[in-house]
């Protein structure tokens, strides 16, 4: 499946609604559970949603969020599109931007999200520590 990234800004932030609503109760992607999307955009150095080239449905999302110290990667693939290779394409898009910006990336992933952990490890991320009882912090050096 071909996908097309759409960079998110204040004028099209409504495109995040489908992602946020889909993952609102997910234990695997809780980023927007405690954040206002507009406030989150203020600390992002990259925010994009992905749509299928032949349709307007949002199929995925990524961001790189600078927290004042570290750059955090977040990706999500809508459940109906999982297992079709979209996660690889979305993470590659984010990693290409990180390379352009010459930044290292961190991410947190739920310990039971085995598919995501495998994707991140295959993309060069390595576990560095546990965060609480349920999340692994992973790191990728600059490319």
């Amino acid at each position: 499946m071909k996908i097309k990234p759409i960079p998110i800004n204040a004028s099209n932030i409504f495109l995040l609604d489908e992602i946020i609503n889909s993952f609102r109760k997910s234990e695997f992607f809780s980023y927007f559970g405690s954040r206002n999307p507009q406030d989150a955009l203020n600390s992002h150095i990259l925010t994009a949603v992905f749509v299928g080239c032949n349709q307007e449905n949002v199929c995925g999302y990524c961001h790189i969020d600078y927290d004042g110290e570290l750059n955090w990667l977040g990706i999500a693939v809508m459940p109906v599109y999982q297992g079709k290779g979209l996660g690889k394409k979305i993470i590659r898009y984010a990693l290409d931007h990180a390379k352009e910006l010459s930044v290292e990336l961190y991410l947190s992933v739920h310990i039971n999200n085995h598919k995501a952990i495998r994707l991140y490890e295959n993309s060069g991320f390595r576990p560095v520590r546990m965060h609480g009882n349920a999340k692994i912090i992973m790191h990728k050096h600059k490319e």
Side-chain angles (χ1 to χ4, degrees):
M1 176 178 182
K2 291 186 177 186
I3 56 174
K4 177 175 75 171
I6 299 174
I8 298 298
N9 54 48
S11 68
N12 66 0
I13 196 168
F14 64 90
L15 292 172
L16 285 177
D17 289 345
E18 194 171 341
I19 290 287
I20 293 168
N21 291 334
S22 178
F23 288 97
R24 187 163 305 281
K25 295 182 181 180
S26 171
E27 67 180 319
F28 294 147
F29 188 75
S30 58
Y31 180 79
F32 285 108
S34 62
R35 292 173 179 85
N36 173 299
Q38 185 61 54
D39 292 341
L41 275 181
N42 294 333
S43 64
H44 287 186
I45 57 177
L46 167 71
T47 310
V49 297
F50 295 80
V51 296
C53 289
N54 297 328
Q55 54 191 348
E56 293 303 314
N57 293 341
V58 172
C59 54
Y61 163 85
C62 75
H63 72 254
I64 299 175
D65 181 9
Y66 181 66
D67 72 359
E69 185 179 337
L70 303 172
N71 294 291
W72 292 90
L73 172 66
I75 74 166
V77 176
M78 297 292 275
V80 69
Y81 296 106
Q82 292 176 2
K84 300 178 192 299
L86 297 182
K88 289 178 191 174
K89 292 176 183 180
I90 292 170
I91 203 167
R92 184 75 257 154
Y93 176 85
L95 292 177
D96 287 347
H97 276 20
K99 184 176 180 178
E100 287 175 21
L101 298 168
S102 190
V103 297
E104 293 183 346
L105 292 175
Y106 289 82
L107 59 82
S108 69
V109 59
H110 195 280
I111 196 165
N112 292 329
N113 195 346
H114 303 290
K115 289 180 183 179
I117 292 169
R118 189 170 40 254
L119 170 65
Y120 299 142
E121 288 178 335
N122 289 340
S123 299
F125 284 85
R126 297 295 171 251
V128 292
R129 66 181 167 88
M130 289 294 297
H131 179 71
N133 293 328
K135 292 197 176 182
I136 301 169
I137 303 296
M138 301 182 82
H139 173 250
K140 179 168 177 43
H141 290 282
K142 295 181 207 178
E143 289 187 9

